[in-house]
Amino acid sequence: MKRVLILMSLSIALFNSSCQSKKEEKETKTKLLVTNPLQKDTTIIKDYVCQVHAIQHIEIRALEKGYLQKIYVDEGQHVKKGQPMFQIMPMMYQAEMQKAEAEANYAKIEYLNAKMLADSNIISKNQLALEKAKYDKAKAELSLAKVHLGFTEITAPFDGIMDRFQVRLGSLVDEGDLLTTLSDNSKLWVYFNVPEAEYLNYKTVDKQDNMKNVRLLMANNQLYKYPGVVQTIEADFNNETGNIAFRATFPSPEGLLRHGETGSIQMIVPLKKAIIIPQKATFEVLEKKYVYVIDKDNKVRSREIEIAAELPHIFIIKNGLSTKDKILLEGLRLVKENEKIEYKLEKPEYVISHLDLYAE
């Protein structure tokens, strides 16, 4: 009987010890990690939708009316300045030039004869001046005929790339008809719109230091290998959008980009006294971001926040939090609204510097 009592006592002691151990283990497991938002100056990379323009992009139009007799180039071809591109049937203008040339020669002979007679005092100086005027007029008409004849051959005004043809060989073109376009892609002008507040930051806070280099994210999500420089800002804001246009210049030694392409400009945007929290501390409900804030009674309460920017593992907060708030860092799925918890407060500097450790 005594042996039985001893065994029962041992069993009860072991049971109580086990229960106490499980209770302590449970308490240990429910002690969750909490931290504060961190405030510090930082920078983010801001994307702006942009459009690529060739530094020169012009329309090539017919200067005279006539049939398109020759096409010397092809679509997409690189052409050099002065290289022939199109020829409009020149026969009529050649005939006009020959006529003007003959009239100029005739007027020259008349003028030279009149000069000899005037030198011999046979005719008056007024008669000589009249013949000189006729000769000058004939020379002017010859020059004009040469210009018209020159208009029948269209040459490249600069080095560039041909676009598609708007006419075909043998087409009847009128003066001013569009033949093609020509682009000089040796440099690129990339235009993008910046909101007013960010424009003011660039101009006043950073004194344009952040504008020295910008990057272009191309349509295939690859970064263009050459950095660009913002050199021009338009004079006026768009009253409808509240934006102002910036222009960045990019080199294009390889000719990869073409006029009319799209992409995104990436600029470094400074943020003064930014509120930073780990992404891990947030959850989403109906496309809105929330965190659990620990109140003075150690109860968790959800709070909606507004995100200003996103970086790897962290969010920069626009509205909703201050550095005095305590936010739940882990166990967000284990707690309920208004539930009282035990927690361990970790310094935000340590948490932010070890985000890879805490990231899920």
Side-chain angles (χ1 to χ4, degrees):
M1 184 66 180
K2 186 176 181 180
R3 182 178 295 177
V4 173
L5 290 173
I6 292 172
L7 290 174
M8 288 179 63
S9 299
L10 289 172
S11 297
I12 292 170
L14 290 171
F15 179 78
N16 290 336
S17 176
S18 176
C19 289
Q20 184 67 25
S21 176
K22 289 181 179 179
K23 184 178 180 181
E24 290 176 356
E25 184 181 353
K26 185 177 181 181
E27 289 178 352
T28 302
K29 287 182 179 178
T30 56
K31 200 166 188 179
L32 302 175
L33 195 62
V34 170
T35 190
N36 304 109
L38 177 65
Q39 187 177 62
K40 64 178 295 185
D41 295 344
T42 187
T43 58
I44 62 172
I45 296 177
K46 180 80 173 179
D47 287 352
Y48 300 95
V49 176
C50 66
Q51 189 166 39
V52 177
H53 291 253
I55 194 169
Q56 292 190 91
H57 179 78
I58 64 168
E59 295 177 337
I60 304 296
R61 294 183 176 273
L63 300 175
E64 294 289 354
K65 181 178 179 179
Y67 287 98
L68 189 60
Q69 183 170 315
K70 291 182 180 179
I71 299 177
Y72 299 103
V73 290
D74 199 1
E75 296 174 332
Q77 180 180 337
H78 288 263
V79 296
K80 295 291 185 181
K81 181 178 180 179
Q83 180 177 340
M85 300 170 69
F86 302 96
Q87 187 178 63
I88 297 169
M89 188 173 61
M91 289 181 292
M92 181 179 68
Y93 300 101
Q94 285 176 340
E96 287 182 353
M97 191 189 73
Q98 290 171 353
K99 177 183 176 183
E101 192 173 24
E103 289 176 350
N105 289 334
Y106 177 79
K108 181 180 180 180
I109 293 171
E110 290 288 314
Y111 166 67
L112 293 176
N113 288 337
K115 189 173 185 301
M116 285 191 300
L117 295 174
D119 290 342
S120 302
N121 294 320
I122 298 176
I123 62 174
S124 68
K125 291 183 179 180
N126 287 338
Q127 186 66 30
L128 176 62
L130 180 62
E131 295 298 328
K132 178 66 166 57
K134 290 180 180 179
Y135 178 43
D136 289 341
K137 179 183 177 183
K139 288 195 295 182
E141 290 177 347
L142 175 59
S143 296
L144 183 61
K146 287 180 179 179
V147 169
H148 281 289
L149 179 61
F151 283 168
T152 63
E153 184 168 270
I154 299 169
T155 59
F158 52 80
D159 295 355
I161 303 174
M162 294 280 300
D163 197 5
R164 69 171 58 184
F165 296 144
Q166 301 299 319
V167 292
R168 293 293 182 266
L169 194 65
S171 300
L172 176 62
V173 295
D174 204 348
E175 181 181 346
D177 282 353
L178 178 63
L179 305 179
T180 187
T181 56
L182 183 66
S183 298
D184 176 6
N185 292 340
S186 59
K187 288 185 179 180
L188 301 169
W189 282 349
V190 181
Y191 292 86
F192 58 101
N193 293 321
V194 175
E196 183 177 358
E198 293 173 17
Y199 160 80
L200 292 173
N201 285 339
Y202 295 140
K203 294 293 288 184
T204 60
V205 177
D206 306 286
K207 303 184 184 302
Q208 297 184 320
D209 288 342
N210 56 306
M211 293 190 201
K212 289 181 180 177
N213 290 296
V214 295
R215 302 305 301 265
L216 172 61
L217 186 66
M218 298 181 291
N220 62 352
N221 288 323
Q222 299 293 319
L223 276 176
Y224 186 56
K225 65 187 295 185
Y226 302 101
V229 179
V230 176
Q231 295 179 325
T232 300
I233 303 174
E234 285 191 1
D236 301 323
F237 277 87
N238 186 317
N239 292 330
E240 295 181 358
T241 64
N243 295 333
I244 192 168
F246 282 39
R247 190 189 79 197
T249 302
F250 286 81
S252 183
E254 299 168 2
L256 174 63
L257 299 178
R258 301 293 178 95
H259 179 86
E261 287 194 61
T262 58
S264 296
I265 285 290
Q266 294 187 340
M267 292 186 70
I268 297 175
V269 180
L271 295 177
K272 303 295 183 181
K273 297 181 179 180
I275 301 295
I276 298 172
I277 66 169
Q279 290 188 20
K280 176 183 172 65
T282 67
F283 61 97
E284 190 170 309
V285 177
L286 298 177
E287 298 183 355
K288 294 182 178 180
K289 295 287 186 184
Y290 292 84
V291 295
Y292 279 124
V293 178
I294 315 303
D295 66 12
K296 61 181 181 179
D297 298 321
N298 294 346
K299 292 183 178 180
V300 293
R301 300 185 184 276
S302 61
R303 184 184 297 177
E304 184 181 351
I305 57 173
E306 188 175 353
I307 306 299
E310 179 178 348
L311 294 173
H313 298 312
I314 66 173
F315 284 132
I316 297 174
I317 304 302
K318 184 176 182 180
N319 288 308
L321 288 175
S322 72
T323 54
K324 296 180 180 180
D325 291 317
K326 298 174 184 177
I327 60 173
L328 190 61
L329 182 61
E330 62 178 21
L332 276 67
R333 297 182 181 89
L334 303 178
V335 300
K336 297 179 181 178
E337 186 77 14
N338 296 324
E339 180 181 353
K340 189 172 183 178
I341 65 167
E342 292 187 11
Y343 63 86
K344 176 185 177 184
L345 183 62
E346 194 74 78
K347 290 184 177 180
E349 293 84 0
Y350 178 83
V351 172
I352 296 298
S353 64
H354 292 77
L355 282 178
D356 287 335
L357 176 64
Y358 291 115
E360 292 183 342

